[in-house]
Structure formats: structure tokens, C-alpha cells
Amino acid sequence: MKSFYYQFVNFIKDISNLWFWSLWIVMLACIMSCFVSLFNSFDDKDKKYKKISSLVLALILIAVLVYLTYVRI
């Protein structure tokens, strides 16, 4: 039995291009919405951002997106 990693990689390689690019665009939209929520959380009084977790989530999603693209190629 193959490990979960190889099953996942084979799944990503075997899905159709339409599904892969749809997944890619949805993840990109999630990343952009995280950045927007980060910039909307700026507090003028304290001169700092309230929701830094949005930035962390965006960075994690960027890493996943790059990984999926790397696996697909």
C-alpha cells in the first residue's frame, strides 16, 4: 500500500486540467481575500494591524499553491 503522500500526489496529477485550475483560482481568491482582510484591519489610532493571522493564513495558502503547482508539473 502506498503512503498517503504518494496517493495525494497521484490524485493531483490525475485530476483534469479544468478541476486543477479551478482549485488554483479558488485558492488564489482565498489568498487575496486574506490580504484584503489584513489591510482592512488597520487601526489608525495604534498604527498597527489587528488581524495578523490573515497574513499567516495567506502565506500558508501561497506555500500550498506553489506546492500543488510544483507537483502538477
Side-chain angles (χ1 to χ4, degrees):
M1 183 174 150
K2 293 184 178 180
S3 69
F4 178 73
Y5 174 76
Y6 288 115
Q7 290 176 355
F8 179 74
V9 169
N10 287 335
F11 172 73
I12 293 298
K13 286 184 178 183
D14 291 340
I15 61 175
S16 69
N17 288 337
L18 179 67
W19 282 107
F20 177 74
W21 290 113
S22 299
L23 175 70
W24 202 89
I25 290 173
V26 166
M27 287 188 66
L28 189 63
C30 290
I31 291 167
M32 293 302 160
S33 69
C34 287
F35 280 128
V36 167
S37 71
L38 172 72
F39 290 123
N40 284 338
S41 71
F42 186 74
D43 188 14
D44 289 329
K45 291 180 184 177
D46 296 335
K47 301 291 184 196
K48 64 180 181 180
Y49 294 101
K50 295 179 187 176
K51 295 182 181 178
I52 300 298
S53 62
S54 299
L55 179 64
V56 173
L57 181 62
L59 292 175
I60 290 171
L61 287 175
I62 288 170
V64 169
L65 191 62
V66 168
Y67 172 74
L68 288 176
T69 305
Y70 174 75
V71 166
R72 183 70 178 196
I73 296 176

